[in-house]
Amino acid sequence: MLTRIFNWWHSYSRSTRKRWYIGIVYGLLASAFIFSIYNAFFAVHPTCSDGVKNGAELDVDCGGTCSQLCLFQRVQKIRILEKAAIPTRPDYYDLYTVIQNPNPTSGIEDLRYTFEVFDGTGASVAKRSGRTFLLPNAEKYIVEPAVKLEEPPAQVNITFQPISWRDLTNYIQPEVFARNKEIHSTPSLEQSGMELTGLVNNKSDIDFQDIVITVIVREQFSDEVVAVNRTDMQTLRASEERRFVVNWPFTFSASSPQIEVQAETNVFDNDNFIRESGITVSDPFFSGQ
């Protein structure tokens, strides 16, 4: 094959081959010139302000060759303040953690977590997973009740799946809080227990579909956690105050109980904002994305 090409090429005169050489060189130079003109004046190059993740960027218009850091590079990590297993009934424990978001303008719409319990040998004996949300600059209680364990746990860990932070510029904290908290025993013929009552107040201008109520009861003088629990409240109107009740099907002792109640609402979920008379409420607590 190469021999045939060689013979074909040399079948032309020397002057013809020279003209071919010159034509090829000029063709290459012309192509290079046209490409440089296109690249300089017509080609679209990645920039750090084009609203597209391209080039060496780690996210849209940030990271890599851009001077602007991406949100996941700027945020501080979630802080785990407490985590433990609280004995309830024989062979059952309630798992809880207190975490903190130190970022004033960044939150997590879908926070997926896993509690893992270990025995004295370091072996994993139980796991419990769930999902929640985390508001900016917030301390959050997470409770997973009634985990069956054959022996007292030696260690409790909590881990999080890869986190997608959301930048919440001009975020406004919803004004939902609990007050008038009282705890007492509820003796009955079948089973004694404990009951916590209180009031949840919505001082925001928005009606909410769901309120999450999480409770931690401590012994005031030792700060030891003696009980945890959670419940949900459906529909809390603007400026409304409603009574809530949390029950435990067992008793616990606290000579001077310190009751911590966290009432939260998910501002990431548009379905959580009640719509009336055809009016749509969307993201009323923040404007940033």
Side-chain angles (χ1 to χ4, degrees), residues 36-71:
S36 63
I37 294 297
Y38 171 80
N39 193 52
F41 297 100
F42 300 101
V44 178
H45 298 284
T47 70
C48 294
S49 59
D50 55 14
V52 179
K53 180 184 177 182
N54 48 26
E57 296 172 354
L58 300 180
D59 206 340
V60 177
D61 295 339
C62 64
T65 55
C66 298
S67 59
Q68 176 69 32
L69 293 177
C70 298
L71 178 60

PDB file of all heavy atoms in Angstrom, residues 36-71:
ATOM      1  N   SER A  36      -7.501  31.044  15.036  1.00  0.00           N
ATOM      2  CA  SER A  36      -7.145  32.070  16.023  1.00  0.00           C
ATOM      3  C   SER A  36      -8.159  33.207  16.022  1.00  0.00           C
ATOM      4  O   SER A  36      -8.500  33.746  17.079  1.00  0.00           O
ATOM      5  CB  SER A  36      -5.735  32.603  15.742  1.00  0.00           C
ATOM      6  OG  SER A  36      -5.678  33.239  14.472  1.00  0.00           O
ATOM      7  N   ILE A  37      -8.662  33.592  14.833  1.00  0.00           N
ATOM      8  CA  ILE A  37      -9.689  34.637  14.761  1.00  0.00           C
ATOM      9  C   ILE A  37     -10.969  34.176  15.448  1.00  0.00           C
ATOM     10  O   ILE A  37     -11.583  34.900  16.242  1.00  0.00           O
ATOM     11  CB  ILE A  37      -9.970  35.018  13.294  1.00  0.00           C
ATOM     12  CG1 ILE A  37      -8.737  35.686  12.670  1.00  0.00           C
ATOM     13  CG2 ILE A  37     -11.182  35.939  13.202  1.00  0.00           C
ATOM     14  CD1 ILE A  37      -8.347  36.993  13.325  1.00  0.00           C
ATOM     15  N   TYR A  38     -11.387  32.935  15.179  1.00  0.00           N
ATOM     16  CA  TYR A  38     -12.603  32.391  15.807  1.00  0.00           C
ATOM     17  C   TYR A  38     -12.445  32.315  17.321  1.00  0.00           C
ATOM     18  O   TYR A  38     -13.346  32.697  18.077  1.00  0.00           O
ATOM     19  CB  TYR A  38     -12.888  31.001  15.243  1.00  0.00           C
ATOM     20  CG  TYR A  38     -13.982  30.271  15.988  1.00  0.00           C
ATOM     21  CD1 TYR A  38     -15.325  30.550  15.753  1.00  0.00           C
ATOM     22  CD2 TYR A  38     -13.660  29.310  16.949  1.00  0.00           C
ATOM     23  CE1 TYR A  38     -16.322  29.894  16.454  1.00  0.00           C
ATOM     24  CE2 TYR A  38     -14.650  28.653  17.653  1.00  0.00           C
ATOM     25  CZ  TYR A  38     -15.984  28.948  17.401  1.00  0.00           C
ATOM     26  OH  TYR A  38     -16.964  28.305  18.099  1.00  0.00           O
ATOM     27  N   ASN A  39     -11.272  31.835  17.748  1.00  0.00           N
ATOM     28  CA  ASN A  39     -11.042  31.663  19.179  1.00  0.00           C
ATOM     29  C   ASN A  39     -11.012  33.003  19.898  1.00  0.00           C
ATOM     30  O   ASN A  39     -11.442  33.120  21.049  1.00  0.00           O
ATOM     31  CB  ASN A  39      -9.728  30.913  19.398  1.00  0.00           C
ATOM     32  CG  ASN A  39      -9.571  30.431  20.826  1.00  0.00           C
ATOM     33  OD1 ASN A  39     -10.462  29.781  21.362  1.00  0.00           O
ATOM     34  ND2 ASN A  39      -8.441  30.748  21.440  1.00  0.00           N
ATOM     35  N   ALA A  40     -10.519  34.041  19.207  1.00  0.00           N
ATOM     36  CA  ALA A  40     -10.381  35.349  19.843  1.00  0.00           C
ATOM     37  C   ALA A  40     -11.688  36.127  19.877  1.00  0.00           C
ATOM     38  O   ALA A  40     -11.963  36.859  20.835  1.00  0.00           O
ATOM     39  CB  ALA A  40      -9.302  36.164  19.129  1.00  0.00           C
ATOM     40  N   PHE A  41     -12.527  35.983  18.834  1.00  0.00           N
ATOM     41  CA  PHE A  41     -13.693  36.863  18.722  1.00  0.00           C
ATOM     42  C   PHE A  41     -15.042  36.152  18.786  1.00  0.00           C
ATOM     43  O   PHE A  41     -16.057  36.784  19.070  1.00  0.00           O
ATOM     44  CB  PHE A  41     -13.615  37.657  17.403  1.00  0.00           C
ATOM     45  CG  PHE A  41     -12.422  38.570  17.321  1.00  0.00           C
ATOM     46  CD1 PHE A  41     -11.294  38.196  16.601  1.00  0.00           C
ATOM     47  CD2 PHE A  41     -12.421  39.789  17.976  1.00  0.00           C
ATOM     48  CE1 PHE A  41     -10.191  39.028  16.520  1.00  0.00           C
ATOM     49  CE2 PHE A  41     -11.318  40.635  17.897  1.00  0.00           C
ATOM     50  CZ  PHE A  41     -10.202  40.253  17.175  1.00  0.00           C
ATOM     51  N   PHE A  42     -15.092  34.866  18.524  1.00  0.00           N
ATOM     52  CA  PHE A  42     -16.387  34.201  18.415  1.00  0.00           C
ATOM     53  C   PHE A  42     -16.583  33.056  19.415  1.00  0.00           C
ATOM     54  O   PHE A  42     -17.709  32.786  19.812  1.00  0.00           O
ATOM     55  CB  PHE A  42     -16.580  33.657  16.991  1.00  0.00           C
ATOM     56  CG  PHE A  42     -16.532  34.727  15.936  1.00  0.00           C
ATOM     57  CD1 PHE A  42     -15.388  34.916  15.182  1.00  0.00           C
ATOM     58  CD2 PHE A  42     -17.625  35.554  15.722  1.00  0.00           C
ATOM     59  CE1 PHE A  42     -15.337  35.908  14.214  1.00  0.00           C
ATOM     60  CE2 PHE A  42     -17.584  36.543  14.750  1.00  0.00           C
ATOM     61  CZ  PHE A  42     -16.436  36.727  13.997  1.00  0.00           C
ATOM     62  N   ALA A  43     -15.519  32.381  19.805  1.00  0.00           N
ATOM     63  CA  ALA A  43     -15.657  31.237  20.712  1.00  0.00           C
ATOM     64  C   ALA A  43     -16.101  31.704  22.099  1.00  0.00           C
ATOM     65  O   ALA A  43     -15.702  32.774  22.567  1.00  0.00           O
ATOM     66  CB  ALA A  43     -14.338  30.476  20.812  1.00  0.00           C
ATOM     67  N   VAL A  44     -16.955  30.909  22.757  1.00  0.00           N
ATOM     68  CA  VAL A  44     -17.418  31.209  24.115  1.00  0.00           C
ATOM     69  C   VAL A  44     -16.503  30.498  25.105  1.00  0.00           C
ATOM     70  O   VAL A  44     -16.437  29.271  25.138  1.00  0.00           O
ATOM     71  CB  VAL A  44     -18.875  30.745  24.312  1.00  0.00           C
ATOM     72  CG1 VAL A  44     -19.327  31.025  25.742  1.00  0.00           C
ATOM     73  CG2 VAL A  44     -19.790  31.435  23.309  1.00  0.00           C
ATOM     74  N   HIS A  45     -15.791  31.281  25.919  1.00  0.00           N
ATOM     75  CA  HIS A  45     -14.854  30.713  26.884  1.00  0.00           C
ATOM     76  C   HIS A  45     -15.493  30.668  28.270  1.00  0.00           C
ATOM     77  O   HIS A  45     -16.268  31.561  28.630  1.00  0.00           O
ATOM     78  CB  HIS A  45     -13.574  31.554  26.939  1.00  0.00           C
ATOM     79  CG  HIS A  45     -12.830  31.589  25.636  1.00  0.00           C
ATOM     80  ND1 HIS A  45     -12.069  30.537  25.189  1.00  0.00           N
ATOM     81  CD2 HIS A  45     -12.751  32.552  24.676  1.00  0.00           C
ATOM     82  CE1 HIS A  45     -11.537  30.842  24.018  1.00  0.00           C
ATOM     83  NE2 HIS A  45     -11.940  32.064  23.677  1.00  0.00           N
ATOM     84  N   PRO A  46     -15.180  29.644  29.058  1.00  0.00           N
ATOM     85  CA  PRO A  46     -15.693  29.600  30.431  1.00  0.00           C
ATOM     86  C   PRO A  46     -15.220  30.813  31.230  1.00  0.00           C
ATOM     87  O   PRO A  46     -14.050  31.197  31.155  1.00  0.00           O
ATOM     88  CB  PRO A  46     -15.092  28.306  30.990  1.00  0.00           C
ATOM     89  CG  PRO A  46     -14.742  27.485  29.793  1.00  0.00           C
ATOM     90  CD  PRO A  46     -14.359  28.462  28.731  1.00  0.00           C
ATOM     91  N   THR A  47     -16.144  31.424  31.957  1.00  0.00           N
ATOM     92  CA  THR A  47     -15.796  32.527  32.851  1.00  0.00           C
ATOM     93  C   THR A  47     -16.365  32.234  34.232  1.00  0.00           C
ATOM     94  O   THR A  47     -17.157  31.306  34.407  1.00  0.00           O
ATOM     95  CB  THR A  47     -16.361  33.867  32.344  1.00  0.00           C
ATOM     96  OG1 THR A  47     -17.795  33.848  32.480  1.00  0.00           O
ATOM     97  CG2 THR A  47     -15.984  34.110  30.890  1.00  0.00           C
ATOM     98  N   CYS A  48     -15.976  33.037  35.192  1.00  0.00           N
ATOM     99  CA  CYS A  48     -16.449  32.862  36.565  1.00  0.00           C
ATOM    100  C   CYS A  48     -17.721  33.656  36.830  1.00  0.00           C
ATOM    101  O   CYS A  48     -18.068  33.923  37.985  1.00  0.00           O
ATOM    102  CB  CYS A  48     -15.350  33.267  37.547  1.00  0.00           C
ATOM    103  SG  CYS A  48     -13.902  32.186  37.473  1.00  0.00           S
ATOM    104  N   SER A  49     -18.418  34.049  35.754  1.00  0.00           N
ATOM    105  CA  SER A  49     -19.666  34.801  35.929  1.00  0.00           C
ATOM    106  C   SER A  49     -20.691  34.457  34.854  1.00  0.00           C
ATOM    107  O   SER A  49     -21.594  35.244  34.594  1.00  0.00           O
ATOM    108  CB  SER A  49     -19.374  36.307  35.899  1.00  0.00           C
ATOM    109  OG  SER A  49     -18.759  36.675  34.672  1.00  0.00           O
ATOM    110  N   ASP A  50     -20.555  33.260  34.238  1.00  0.00           N
ATOM    111  CA  ASP A  50     -21.473  32.916  33.152  1.00  0.00           C
ATOM    112  C   ASP A  50     -22.656  32.075  33.608  1.00  0.00           C
ATOM    113  O   ASP A  50     -23.489  31.663  32.803  1.00  0.00           O
ATOM    114  CB  ASP A  50     -20.727  32.196  32.024  1.00  0.00           C
ATOM    115  CG  ASP A  50     -19.971  30.961  32.501  1.00  0.00           C
ATOM    116  OD1 ASP A  50     -20.230  30.506  33.635  1.00  0.00           O
ATOM    117  OD2 ASP A  50     -19.112  30.467  31.748  1.00  0.00           O
ATOM    118  N   GLY A  51     -22.742  31.792  34.919  1.00  0.00           N
ATOM    119  CA  GLY A  51     -23.883  31.043  35.437  1.00  0.00           C
ATOM    120  C   GLY A  51     -23.899  29.583  35.056  1.00  0.00           C
ATOM    121  O   GLY A  51     -24.928  28.920  35.161  1.00  0.00           O
ATOM    122  N   VAL A  52     -22.750  29.045  34.632  1.00  0.00           N
ATOM    123  CA  VAL A  52     -22.657  27.648  34.210  1.00  0.00           C
ATOM    124  C   VAL A  52     -21.424  27.023  34.852  1.00  0.00           C
ATOM    125  O   VAL A  52     -20.378  27.671  34.968  1.00  0.00           O
ATOM    126  CB  VAL A  52     -22.549  27.538  32.670  1.00  0.00           C
ATOM    127  CG1 VAL A  52     -22.427  26.076  32.245  1.00  0.00           C
ATOM    128  CG2 VAL A  52     -23.748  28.191  32.000  1.00  0.00           C
ATOM    129  N   LYS A  53     -21.551  25.764  35.281  1.00  0.00           N
ATOM    130  CA  LYS A  53     -20.387  25.045  35.781  1.00  0.00           C
ATOM    131  C   LYS A  53     -19.593  24.536  34.585  1.00  0.00           C
ATOM    132  O   LYS A  53     -20.032  23.645  33.860  1.00  0.00           O
ATOM    133  CB  LYS A  53     -20.813  23.872  36.668  1.00  0.00           C
ATOM    134  CG  LYS A  53     -19.628  23.080  37.222  1.00  0.00           C
ATOM    135  CD  LYS A  53     -20.073  21.861  38.016  1.00  0.00           C
ATOM    136  CE  LYS A  53     -18.864  21.063  38.484  1.00  0.00           C
ATOM    137  NZ  LYS A  53     -19.255  19.839  39.209  1.00  0.00           N
ATOM    138  N   ASN A  54     -18.430  25.117  34.354  1.00  0.00           N
ATOM    139  CA  ASN A  54     -17.608  24.717  33.214  1.00  0.00           C
ATOM    140  C   ASN A  54     -16.138  24.970  33.533  1.00  0.00           C
ATOM    141  O   ASN A  54     -15.794  25.450  34.618  1.00  0.00           O
ATOM    142  CB  ASN A  54     -18.033  25.468  31.940  1.00  0.00           C
ATOM    143  CG  ASN A  54     -18.177  26.969  32.168  1.00  0.00           C
ATOM    144  OD1 ASN A  54     -17.545  27.530  33.056  1.00  0.00           O
ATOM    145  ND2 ASN A  54     -19.010  27.618  31.372  1.00  0.00           N
ATOM    146  N   GLY A  55     -15.283  24.639  32.587  1.00  0.00           N
ATOM    147  CA  GLY A  55     -13.855  24.802  32.819  1.00  0.00           C
ATOM    148  C   GLY A  55     -13.399  23.971  34.004  1.00  0.00           C
ATOM    149  O   GLY A  55     -13.785  22.820  34.168  1.00  0.00           O
ATOM    150  N   ALA A  56     -12.578  24.572  34.858  1.00  0.00           N
ATOM    151  CA  ALA A  56     -12.050  23.879  36.039  1.00  0.00           C
ATOM    152  C   ALA A  56     -12.852  24.188  37.297  1.00  0.00           C
ATOM    153  O   ALA A  56     -12.405  23.899  38.407  1.00  0.00           O
ATOM    154  CB  ALA A  56     -10.582  24.268  36.247  1.00  0.00           C
ATOM    155  N   GLU A  57     -14.052  24.774  37.145  1.00  0.00           N
ATOM    156  CA  GLU A  57     -14.866  25.141  38.304  1.00  0.00           C
ATOM    157  C   GLU A  57     -15.325  23.900  39.070  1.00  0.00           C
ATOM    158  O   GLU A  57     -15.605  22.853  38.474  1.00  0.00           O
ATOM    159  CB  GLU A  57     -16.090  25.941  37.852  1.00  0.00           C
ATOM    160  CG  GLU A  57     -15.752  27.276  37.217  1.00  0.00           C
ATOM    161  CD  GLU A  57     -16.961  27.956  36.597  1.00  0.00           C
ATOM    162  OE1 GLU A  57     -18.042  27.329  36.566  1.00  0.00           O
ATOM    163  OE2 GLU A  57     -16.822  29.106  36.140  1.00  0.00           O
ATOM    164  N   LEU A  58     -15.430  24.043  40.399  1.00  0.00           N
ATOM    165  CA  LEU A  58     -15.926  22.957  41.242  1.00  0.00           C
ATOM    166  C   LEU A  58     -17.440  22.997  41.369  1.00  0.00           C
ATOM    167  O   LEU A  58     -18.068  21.999  41.704  1.00  0.00           O
ATOM    168  CB  LEU A  58     -15.278  23.033  42.625  1.00  0.00           C
ATOM    169  CG  LEU A  58     -13.750  22.912  42.649  1.00  0.00           C
ATOM    170  CD1 LEU A  58     -13.236  23.012  44.075  1.00  0.00           C
ATOM    171  CD2 LEU A  58     -13.299  21.611  42.003  1.00  0.00           C
ATOM    172  N   ASP A  59     -18.019  24.161  41.137  1.00  0.00           N
ATOM    173  CA  ASP A  59     -19.467  24.343  41.101  1.00  0.00           C
ATOM    174  C   ASP A  59     -19.720  25.548  40.209  1.00  0.00           C
ATOM    175  O   ASP A  59     -18.785  26.077  39.600  1.00  0.00           O
ATOM    176  CB  ASP A  59     -20.033  24.543  42.512  1.00  0.00           C
ATOM    177  CG  ASP A  59     -21.494  24.113  42.615  1.00  0.00           C
ATOM    178  OD1 ASP A  59     -22.149  24.027  41.558  1.00  0.00           O
ATOM    179  OD2 ASP A  59     -21.979  23.868  43.726  1.00  0.00           O
ATOM    180  N   VAL A  60     -20.949  26.005  40.126  1.00  0.00           N
ATOM    181  CA  VAL A  60     -21.263  27.103  39.215  1.00  0.00           C
ATOM    182  C   VAL A  60     -20.507  28.365  39.621  1.00  0.00           C
ATOM    183  O   VAL A  60     -20.724  28.921  40.708  1.00  0.00           O
ATOM    184  CB  VAL A  60     -22.781  27.371  39.198  1.00  0.00           C
ATOM    185  CG1 VAL A  60     -23.098  28.565  38.302  1.00  0.00           C
ATOM    186  CG2 VAL A  60     -23.529  26.139  38.723  1.00  0.00           C
ATOM    187  N   ASP A  61     -19.580  28.797  38.757  1.00  0.00           N
ATOM    188  CA  ASP A  61     -18.839  30.053  38.914  1.00  0.00           C
ATOM    189  C   ASP A  61     -18.063  30.146  40.227  1.00  0.00           C
ATOM    190  O   ASP A  61     -17.932  31.228  40.813  1.00  0.00           O
ATOM    191  CB  ASP A  61     -19.791  31.257  38.796  1.00  0.00           C
ATOM    192  CG  ASP A  61     -20.398  31.379  37.408  1.00  0.00           C
ATOM    193  OD1 ASP A  61     -19.818  30.818  36.469  1.00  0.00           O
ATOM    194  OD2 ASP A  61     -21.454  32.024  37.271  1.00  0.00           O
ATOM    195  N   CYS A  62     -17.554  29.034  40.712  1.00  0.00           N
ATOM    196  CA  CYS A  62     -16.772  29.076  41.949  1.00  0.00           C
ATOM    197  C   CYS A  62     -15.798  27.907  41.991  1.00  0.00           C
ATOM    198  O   CYS A  62     -15.977  26.894  41.313  1.00  0.00           O
ATOM    199  CB  CYS A  62     -17.684  29.049  43.179  1.00  0.00           C
ATOM    200  SG  CYS A  62     -18.630  27.519  43.348  1.00  0.00           S
ATOM    201  N   GLY A  63     -14.756  28.068  42.808  1.00  0.00           N
ATOM    202  CA  GLY A  63     -13.757  27.019  42.966  1.00  0.00           C
ATOM    203  C   GLY A  63     -12.867  26.891  41.744  1.00  0.00           C
ATOM    204  O   GLY A  63     -13.055  27.553  40.724  1.00  0.00           O
ATOM    205  N   GLY A  64     -11.863  26.049  41.841  1.00  0.00           N
ATOM    206  CA  GLY A  64     -10.958  25.840  40.715  1.00  0.00           C
ATOM    207  C   GLY A  64     -10.181  27.097  40.391  1.00  0.00           C
ATOM    208  O   GLY A  64      -9.489  27.661  41.238  1.00  0.00           O
ATOM    209  N   THR A  65     -10.318  27.580  39.161  1.00  0.00           N
ATOM    210  CA  THR A  65      -9.606  28.784  38.729  1.00  0.00           C
ATOM    211  C   THR A  65     -10.314  30.070  39.146  1.00  0.00           C
ATOM    212  O   THR A  65      -9.778  31.161  38.938  1.00  0.00           O
ATOM    213  CB  THR A  65      -9.453  28.771  37.197  1.00  0.00           C
ATOM    214  OG1 THR A  65     -10.746  28.629  36.597  1.00  0.00           O
ATOM    215  CG2 THR A  65      -8.567  27.616  36.750  1.00  0.00           C
ATOM    216  N   CYS A  66     -11.521  29.966  39.711  1.00  0.00           N
ATOM    217  CA  CYS A  66     -12.257  31.158  40.151  1.00  0.00           C
ATOM    218  C   CYS A  66     -11.813  31.560  41.555  1.00  0.00           C
ATOM    219  O   CYS A  66     -11.566  30.709  42.410  1.00  0.00           O
ATOM    220  CB  CYS A  66     -13.765  30.897  40.146  1.00  0.00           C
ATOM    221  SG  CYS A  66     -14.445  30.505  38.518  1.00  0.00           S
ATOM    222  N   SER A  67     -11.754  32.853  41.790  1.00  0.00           N
ATOM    223  CA  SER A  67     -11.349  33.339  43.111  1.00  0.00           C
ATOM    224  C   SER A  67     -12.447  33.124  44.150  1.00  0.00           C
ATOM    225  O   SER A  67     -12.164  32.996  45.342  1.00  0.00           O
ATOM    226  CB  SER A  67     -10.995  34.830  43.034  1.00  0.00           C
ATOM    227  OG  SER A  67     -12.110  35.588  42.570  1.00  0.00           O
ATOM    228  N   GLN A  68     -13.709  33.079  43.706  1.00  0.00           N
ATOM    229  CA  GLN A  68     -14.833  32.880  44.620  1.00  0.00           C
ATOM    230  C   GLN A  68     -14.892  31.427  45.076  1.00  0.00           C
ATOM    231  O   GLN A  68     -14.941  30.505  44.262  1.00  0.00           O
ATOM    232  CB  GLN A  68     -16.149  33.247  43.930  1.00  0.00           C
ATOM    233  CG  GLN A  68     -17.396  32.977  44.753  1.00  0.00           C
ATOM    234  CD  GLN A  68     -17.515  33.912  45.941  1.00  0.00           C
ATOM    235  OE1 GLN A  68     -17.098  35.056  45.884  1.00  0.00           O
ATOM    236  NE2 GLN A  68     -18.072  33.429  47.031  1.00  0.00           N
ATOM    237  N   LEU A  69     -14.870  31.206  46.400  1.00  0.00           N
ATOM    238  CA  LEU A  69     -14.996  29.852  46.927  1.00  0.00           C
ATOM    239  C   LEU A  69     -16.438  29.376  46.805  1.00  0.00           C
ATOM    240  O   LEU A  69     -17.380  30.164  46.895  1.00  0.00           O
ATOM    241  CB  LEU A  69     -14.569  29.810  48.399  1.00  0.00           C
ATOM    242  CG  LEU A  69     -13.096  30.079  48.703  1.00  0.00           C
ATOM    243  CD1 LEU A  69     -12.866  30.070  50.202  1.00  0.00           C
ATOM    244  CD2 LEU A  69     -12.199  29.053  48.030  1.00  0.00           C
ATOM    245  N   CYS A  70     -16.615  28.074  46.597  1.00  0.00           N
ATOM    246  CA  CYS A  70     -17.955  27.500  46.550  1.00  0.00           C
ATOM    247  C   CYS A  70     -18.530  27.435  47.961  1.00  0.00           C
ATOM    248  O   CYS A  70     -17.802  27.462  48.953  1.00  0.00           O
ATOM    249  CB  CYS A  70     -17.918  26.095  45.942  1.00  0.00           C
ATOM    250  SG  CYS A  70     -17.336  26.055  44.233  1.00  0.00           S
ATOM    251  N   LEU A  71     -19.858  27.312  48.019  1.00  0.00           N
ATOM    252  CA  LEU A  71     -20.525  27.289  49.320  1.00  0.00           C
ATOM    253  C   LEU A  71     -19.994  26.168  50.194  1.00  0.00           C
ATOM    254  O   LEU A  71     -19.723  26.361  51.381  1.00  0.00           O
ATOM    255  CB  LEU A  71     -22.036  27.137  49.125  1.00  0.00           C
ATOM    256  CG  LEU A  71     -22.872  27.058  50.407  1.00  0.00           C
ATOM    257  CD1 LEU A  71     -22.706  28.321  51.236  1.00  0.00           C
ATOM    258  CD2 LEU A  71     -24.346  26.837  50.066  1.00  0.00           C
TER     259      LEU A  71
END
